[in-house]
Amino acid sequence: MKFLALCHYSTAAFAQLGPNDFAEIGRLCAPHDKALRDSGHLYEVGSLGTPDQSRTLLVEKGTVEAVAGPYAETSEPFGAFFIIEADDIDKTVEIAKLHPGVNIGDKFGRGGIEVRPIESLDRL
């Protein structure tokens, strides 16, 4: 079974980070990224652009409109995602704990991961 892990972060904390912080984040993330990849359960991983780079499609009076920004406004947007293949959600949670976001969050601002089962996934 596949599960989607959505990584969120604090925009306020992220805005306070400087170049040295990002360099340290990269250094701290490396072993956690490796552990996640080496788990054998990682199906796909990706980073997301910032909410201000997004567009939301809405239907207004039968016409599809593209509106600048995210659908849901939040101070903790999603910044990355990964898909895990595992037998159940409990195993997925244990694997998701390897992700850097939950291992360095206390040092660089609040962050977390939401895990959801994927009911359907088609790769074309």
Side-chain angles (χ1 to χ4, degrees), residues 42-96:
L42 188 62
Y43 181 78
E44 200 160 78
V45 63
S47 295
L48 301 172
T50 58
D52 63 324
Q53 296 172 312
S54 68
R55 300 293 179 270
T56 299
L57 304 179
L58 301 170
V59 177
E60 297 290 334
K61 298 179 183 171
T63 303
V64 177
E65 299 286 335
V67 179
Y71 179 76
E73 295 289 336
T74 177
S75 63
E76 295 184 349
F78 295 118
F81 69 92
F82 54 105
I83 297 175
I84 292 175
E85 191 157 359
D87 291 335
D88 57 45
I89 197 163
D90 294 326
K91 177 65 174 174
T92 303
V93 167
E94 290 306 309
I95 296 163

Side-chain angles (χ1 to χ4, degrees), residues 8-17 50-51 74-78 109-110:
H8 62 84
Y9 64 97
S10 166
T11 54
F14 192 78
Q16 300 300 313
L17 299 177
T50 58
T74 177
S75 63
E76 295 184 349
F78 295 118
R110 186 165 184 233

